[in-house]
C-alpha cells in the first residue's frame, strides 16, 4: 500500500521562515499557486518531482519537507 505524504505544515513553516508568500514560492518553483495552497492544506499529495521543485525553490533538501 502506498504511503501518503503530508508535508503541508513543514512546507508552510519553511516558506514562512524564508519570508515568502505562497504566490512567490509557486513562481520560484514553477508550480501554480493553487498547488502550493492545496499542499499546505494537505488537500493534495504532491508528486516527488513537485516536492523536489519546492525544496529547490526554498533552498532545502527535499528530506527536510518529508522527514520524520
Amino acid at each position: 500500500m502506498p504511503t501518503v505524504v503530508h508535508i503541508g505544515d513543514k512546507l508552510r513553516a519553511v516558506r514562512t521562515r524564508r519570508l515568502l508568500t505562497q504566490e512567490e514560492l509557486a513562481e520560484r518553483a514553477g508550480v501554480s499557486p493553487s498547488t502550493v495552497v492545496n499542499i499546505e492544506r494537505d488537500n493534495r499529495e504532491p508528486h516527488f518531482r513537485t516536492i523536489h521543485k519546492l525544496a529547490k525553490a526554498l533552498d532545502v533538501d527535499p528530506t527536510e519537507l518529508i522527514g520524520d
Side-chain angles (χ1 to χ4, degrees), residues 4-17 22 25 35-46 51 54 58 62 64-67:
V4 176
V5 179
H6 294 288
I7 66 167
D9 291 337
K10 291 180 184 180
L11 179 62
R12 184 179 303 108
V14 175
R15 177 182 60 77
T16 56
R17 269 199 325 259
Q22 291 172 329
L25 174 57
T35 295
V36 174
V37 169
N38 284 321
I39 292 171
E40 285 191 359
R41 292 181 180 168
D42 288 327
N43 290 337
R44 181 171 170 195
E45 183 179 353
I51 295 172
L54 292 167
L58 292 166
E64 188 170 333
L65 298 177
I66 59 174

